[in-house]
Amino acid sequence: MTEQLHQITVTVNGVARRADAPARRLLADFLRMDLGLTGTHLGCEHGVCGACTVLMDGVPVRACLIFAVSADGHAITTVEGCCDSGGELGPVQQAFQECHGLQCGFCTPGFITTITAYLEENPKPTEEEAREAIGGNLCRCTGYQNIVAAVLRAAEILRERDADQAGAGGAA
């Protein structure tokens, strides 16, 4: 007996995507296996480590705890979608690079998406707030000091870009 497939339509990183998947396929597996977006990593597969964090309609979710059929019709942002429109590193990715916020890199996609969403809500975090923001993500290499520095640097980069855009808008 073959498993019944369901057509799932999602907008991933701004692009409409459609694929058929079994009802019990996890969103992380759907992204990786059906859509070929392998940036989302599966760590614990119990929602504890945060490596699989993606943004669903801008809100961080654990892709290992959500069935893909539940994401039907929603907008998903993966780590691949956290880059700039020209394909260059996004602010959080740039900050991770500058601050050496990644070691083995396995947990990095979950941190990038989590921090991206966090900075939308809290554009000027303190160090303590940055630590709290990443409290749901685990780094087995224990590189937390550099990750906290990356959160603060990403906030600076975002403010610099906003100032540049405001300056460019004022000059026009």
Side-chain angles (χ1 to χ4, degrees):
M1 185 169 147
T2 59
E3 193 169 7
Q4 181 180 359
L5 300 179
H6 301 269
Q7 188 174 72
I8 301 166
T9 303
V10 291
T11 300
V12 183
N13 303 327
V15 177
R17 307 286 299 262
R18 181 177 301 150
D20 295 330
R24 296 187 57 82
R25 168 111 359 117
L26 296 172
L27 178 57
D29 291 331
F30 179 73
L31 292 168
R32 293 180 59 83
M33 297 185 322
D34 297 306
L35 301 183
L37 298 168
T38 57
T40 301
H41 291 172
L42 279 164
C44 68
E45 299 188 51
H46 297 286
V48 175
C49 74
C52 67
T53 303
V54 298
L55 306 180
M56 189 156 77
D57 299 328
V59 177
V61 297
R62 303 289 203 241
C64 73
L65 297 180
I66 295 175
F67 292 124
V69 293
S70 300
D72 186 48
H74 290 272
I76 306 296
T77 303
T78 67
V79 69
E80 292 97 336
C82 292
C83 62
D84 283 343
S85 58
E88 296 89 24
L89 296 178
V92 178
Q93 295 164 326
Q94 180 184 338
F96 264 66
Q97 182 183 46
E98 289 178 13
C99 298
H100 306 286
L102 54 98
Q103 293 182 23
C104 79
F106 188 83
C107 64
T108 302
F111 276 102
I112 298 287
T113 52
T114 297
I115 294 165
T116 296
Y118 174 75
L119 292 176
E120 286 284 324
E121 298 286 323
N122 304 289
K124 197 172 180 181
T126 64
E127 184 175 327
E128 184 62 31
E129 290 168 335
R131 288 185 191 286
E132 188 173 318
I134 61 168
N137 291 71
L138 301 178
C139 171
R140 289 181 174 84
C141 302
T142 69
Y144 294 105
Q145 294 293 338
N146 293 349
I147 294 171
V148 170
V151 173
L152 300 175
R153 177 64 185 131
E156 287 176 8
I157 292 168
L158 286 166
R159 287 194 301 272
E160 290 167 4
R161 289 183 181 186
D162 286 347
D164 288 346
Q165 287 178 349

